[in-house]
Amino acid sequence: MKITFYGHASLGIEVNEIHILVDPFITANEKASHIDINTIKADYILLTHAHQDHILDVETIANRTGAVIVSNYEIVTHYQKKGFEGHPMNHGGSWDFKFGNVKYVNAIHTSSFPDGSYGGQPGGFVIEGEHKNIYIAGDTAITMDMKLIPLQIKLDLAILPIGDNFTMGIEDAILASDFVQCDKILGYHFDTFGYIEINHEEAKRKFFDKNKDLMLLDIGESIEL
Ligand code: NI
Ligand code: MN
């Protein structure tokens, strides 16, 4: 499994030559100006919630790639009405896709579309693919529900928001990594806006002090699991 960070909460995941794009917000992210969305491959686009900073580039990329949009019922219906392919899910549900199993799990946040219309309830994803299991928390507060995840699955990576203000900050993300029983963490949802700027070295040190590994990728950088 290869994971590429496209900035903010945008991720590319490659499993068995299938390309999954998560929460594409790239063209309005000044820090991601070197990423050309026309070169991003996508067979599936997974959306955690409907906020602009998670869906901005969905239509452009789905138009070009024909990607199947996977999210909550309300978000998928919104895109199906516009003619896009979609696979609706809801909290607690899982589905075997070609690349592996996806479960849509709870998040504590909000989920309106940019025009204010209802975007369902926000979520995160647990993905099992190619013998690697990852948790993408989405925008969320820390929640006791995270403790349910390791009852059923052993995670290889937890992708957690760490920027604070709109989501968990660093201290809560450390606790969240305890809840999901995963000491390998990829941080996201930081630095994009003034509200969520973090000190990278301090963040890494705080995780290190708890015997955890926080990875912060450059935009465009990939890791192999
Ligand atoms: Ni949000
Ligand atoms: Mn967000």
Side-chain angles (χ1 to χ4, degrees):
M1 185 183 284
K2 182 182 175 187
I3 299 172
T4 304
F5 181 54
Y6 289 120
H8 195 53
S10 308
L11 303 160
I13 301 167
E14 192 181 335
V15 187
N16 292 328
E17 296 179 7
I18 296 172
H19 293 85
I20 304 147
L21 182 64
V22 182
D23 287 358
F25 170 81
I26 296 162
T27 53
N29 182 358
E30 286 171 22
K31 294 183 162 66
S33 57
H34 58 294
I35 304 293
D36 176 7
I37 63 164
N38 296 309
T39 64
I40 293 177
K41 293 179 182 169
D43 300 299
Y44 296 89
I45 299 176
L46 271 53
L47 302 175
T48 60
H49 65 296
H51 285 160
Q52 176 82 321
D53 61 315
H54 298 256
I55 65 158
L56 180 74
D57 297 316
V58 169
E59 295 191 17
T60 309
I61 294 170
N63 264 323
R64 175 176 54 81
T65 60
V68 178
I69 296 165
V70 180
S71 188
N72 68 36
Y73 176 78
E74 289 78 7
I75 290 174
V76 168
T77 303
H78 165 93
Y79 286 110
Q80 283 175 328
K81 279 184 190 156
K82 294 181 164 204
F84 294 99
E85 293 289 318
H87 179 111
M89 300 186 74
N90 219 325
H91 300 89
S94 59
W95 184 262
D96 282 322
F97 291 89
K98 270 187 287 179
F99 56 87
N101 188 272
V102 174
K103 188 170 191 175
Y104 191 62
V105 296
N106 297 352
I108 296 184
H109 193 68
T110 55
S111 179
S112 47
F113 280 99
D115 67 358
S117 62
Y118 182 56
Q121 296 294 307
F125 296 101
V126 175
I127 303 175
E128 294 177 55
E130 215 176 20
H131 314 299
K132 296 291 178 188
N133 304 323
I134 66 170
Y135 168 48
I136 301 170
D139 284 10
T140 185
I142 185 168
T143 156
M144 295 297 273
D145 292 343
M146 291 169 175
K147 291 189 171 189
L148 296 171
I149 294 170
L151 296 181
Q152 295 178 309
I153 197 165
K154 174 87 185 78
L155 295 174
D156 295 290
L157 180 71
I159 302 176
L160 305 176
I162 55 171
D164 217 333
N165 192 72
F166 296 115
T167 67
M168 293 187 280
I170 288 150
E171 310 291 347
D172 285 4
I174 290 170
L175 194 53
S177 70
D178 281 339
F179 284 7
V180 299
Q181 293 179 20
C182 184
D183 293 333
K184 191 170 178 183
I185 297 102
L186 175 63
Y188 79 162
H189 212 277
F190 63 93
D191 281 2
T192 320
F193 323 112
Y195 289 125
I196 60 173
E197 275 170 14
I198 64 160
N199 179 318
H200 293 203
E201 290 316 310
E202 189 184 323
K204 286 180 186 172
R205 183 167 13 92
K206 284 182 173 175
F207 276 85
F208 183 79
D209 287 347
K210 301 285 183 182
N211 296 314
K212 294 169 187 291
D213 177 21
L214 173 69
M215 289 179 288
L216 301 177
L217 299 180
D218 290 334
I219 296 175
E221 192 181 352
S222 300
I223 52 166
E224 200 78 48
L225 278 190

